[in-house]
Amino acid sequence: MYSGGHAGRDRRVDVRNYLSPLAEAREIAPKGFGSFAVTPIPMGTIIATFGGIVVNRVNFETYPLEQRSRSIQIDVNQFVLGPESREPGDSINHSCLPNCGMRNATQLIAMGPIAVGEELTYDYAMSDTSNYVEFECACRSDNCRGRVSGNDWKLPELHSRYHNMFSPYVQRKIDATRTARPLSKRDAENLMNNYDINPQQALMLALRITTGMPNASWNTLIDLCFTDKQQSELLQTLDQQSLDQLAQQLNERRTL
Ligand SMILES: [Zn+2]
């Protein structure tokens, strides 16, 4: 039980995002926020953990831009939505020369030792592969990409620089780019032979080849391949005409 004299300090504050006590969030003039080391931070220290409700892309896009900017993508079609108002743990900026990386989908760790006063940053390409992450970068590092986009995770120089520092779903996407391939003649024959028996199963096997994702679910495959909301929804609900079109396209072009 609290027994100190400062009653005001006893107020419990619930936050969804954790920030290490070795750091603090500060306002940066003219209008912005950042998090800074207040003691030396050793390599591997957990810096922050992002928390909040998980929403899919369609729901995510209904929230204000400011709130979305404090959110993090954790899977192809899942986002941890930032809280309604800013918290210390959701004030970590992007840098093209970051000192933190993703330990898993929601945790940041120090990539190396961090000195007192240094700003804590990570590269949004480590976690986000959506176009809501697009802005002119002001990190002013030698590595600065200028414009940061939701496609930056594809850049080969980042793959070697951030080894083991990508969110797991981003790493799966990177690995998939190396194994994805068009269907062989035989794959296309299998697709058409099996399509009449079980259309979804036949298409799923084909899409796993073309995406390079051998374990992906139907929903993940559709989310990966179709950004058009209407088309994606028709395929998710197994609309017969849309399935037929997809099978025809894969049979003719062997890829998407
Ligand atoms: Zn930059």
Side-chain angles (χ1 to χ4, degrees), residues 94-96 137-141 144-146:
H94 164 90
S95 169
C96 303
C137 185
C139 78
R140 284 181 287 190
S141 71
C144 189
R145 302 195 287 275

Side-chain angles (χ1 to χ4, degrees), residues 2-210:
Y2 180 78
S3 58
H6 302 283
R9 281 197 205 158
D10 199 23
R11 198 163 39 118
R12 188 177 147 188
V13 180
D14 283 317
V15 292
R16 291 174 185 270
N17 294 279
Y18 165 84
L19 179 66
S20 164
L22 309 184
E24 70 177 19
R26 293 180 203 150
E27 205 167 340
I28 309 171
K31 185 173 173 274
F33 291 83
S35 297
F36 297 83
V38 292
T39 68
I41 299 180
M43 180 169 77
T45 304
I46 293 175
I47 296 296
T49 305
F50 300 103
I53 61 166
V54 176
V55 294
N56 67 18
R57 184 182 306 281
V58 172
N59 288 333
F60 184 67
E61 285 170 1
T62 65
Y63 288 89
L65 194 61
E66 195 278 329
Q67 191 171 2
R68 279 188 279 157
S69 78
R70 292 182 286 100
S71 303
I72 190 164
Q73 189 172 357
I74 58 165
D75 208 335
V76 174
N77 190 19
Q78 287 193 325
F79 300 78
V80 169
L81 184 69
E84 281 180 35
S85 53
R86 181 173 290 278
E87 294 178 359
D90 63 11
S91 301
I92 298 173
N93 288 320
H94 164 90
S95 169
C96 303
L97 187 60
N99 49 20
C100 299
M102 300 303 300
R103 181 171 191 260
N104 52 49
T106 56
Q107 279 188 318
L108 281 179
I109 58 165
M111 286 205 287
I114 301 174
V116 177
E118 210 179 311
E119 182 173 0
L120 306 173
T121 55
Y122 72 109
D123 191 324
Y124 290 176
M126 293 166 171
S127 61
D128 285 79
T129 58
S130 297
N131 56 11
Y132 84 99
V133 186
E134 293 218 332
F135 57 93
E136 300 297 331
C137 185
C139 78
R140 284 181 287 190
S141 71
D142 291 343
N143 289 347
C144 189
R145 302 195 287 275
R147 185 159 185 83
V148 170
S149 96
N151 285 320
D152 290 353
W153 64 274
K154 293 176 183 169
L155 297 169
E157 64 265 30
L158 300 192
H159 301 166
S160 43
R161 198 188 304 153
Y162 301 149
H163 182 63
N164 273 342
M165 289 292 158
F166 284 96
S167 182
Y169 93 92
V170 183
Q171 189 60 55
R172 278 197 293 278
K173 285 179 72 148
I174 293 167
D175 295 344
T177 60
R178 296 184 191 120
T179 50
R181 61 167 174 83
L183 300 181
S184 66
K185 189 162 177 283
R186 180 164 188 161
D187 295 328
E189 280 166 9
N190 285 341
L191 165 64
M192 297 323 281
N193 289 340
N194 296 328
Y195 187 76
D196 291 334
I197 306 160
N198 187 336
Q200 184 191 16
Q201 182 69 17
L203 287 169
M204 191 154 67
L205 292 177
L207 290 174
R208 283 174 175 167
I209 294 169
T210 61

